[in-house]
Amino acid sequence: MPVERLLVSTLLMVGLAVSMVVAALETYGADPVFSVPISLHAGWVCAALLLNVNLANVQLKTGGDATTRQAIDLTLVFGSLYGATIIGAGVIALSGNVVLPLSIVWALVAIGVEAPNSPAGAKYTRAAVKYTALILAFKLAALAAFALKVGPEL
């Protein structure tokens, strides 16, 4: 895929992600037949957006030398992991919606499972990505479980 198309799709996904999260916040608590698919889709779009940001970075080859590029890559990877977790926690705090964060948990677990299989990066870097993703997934899932137990008064 040409880098221009990837950049355009990433920019379009920003608008889609924002609108889907707003829709998930506004519809949560309504009829579950309506609100659950919106929340689930919003979480998937957020995860896909963060993936696209990382793919665009790799395609653009930002930075000068190899060390700078690796630093930028790692910053974006860990920023994406923490960013996804913050989005999920924010949605729980704002609305009590646990469906959107649980779809982010799914994405974090998938990253944690697949990171060691990636040929990119050093062995210890892949391990750091793996454990960071799995720990953040566990924390977000625990927060979602707590929100379900406590209810909307969170």
Side-chain angles (χ1 to χ4, degrees), residues 1-85:
M1 172 184 283
V3 76
E4 296 82 21
R5 289 185 183 173
L6 186 59
L7 291 174
V8 170
S9 73
T10 301
L11 290 175
L12 291 172
M13 284 182 73
V14 169
L16 179 61
V18 169
S19 61
M20 290 298 299
V21 169
V22 169
L25 289 171
E26 295 294 323
T27 61
Y28 192 74
D31 185 7
V33 171
F34 182 68
S35 65
V36 169
I38 289 175
S39 296
L40 188 64
H41 189 67
W44 287 342
V45 169
C46 288
L49 170 63
L50 294 171
L51 175 66
N52 261 23
V53 167
N54 284 279
L55 287 174
N57 172 58
V58 169
Q59 291 293 321
L60 288 172
K61 296 180 172 75
T62 53
D65 59 1
T67 304
T68 304
R69 279 198 305 275
Q70 186 178 23
I72 291 169
D73 292 349
L74 288 174
T75 301
L76 274 174
V77 167
F78 286 105
S80 296
L81 294 174
Y82 281 96
T85 305

Side-chain angles (χ1 to χ4, degrees), residues 24-25 27-28 35 39 88 91-102 144 147:
L25 289 171
T27 61
Y28 192 74
S35 65
S39 296
V91 166
I92 291 172
L94 290 173
S95 68
N97 182 336
V98 296
V99 177
L100 187 152
L102 287 176

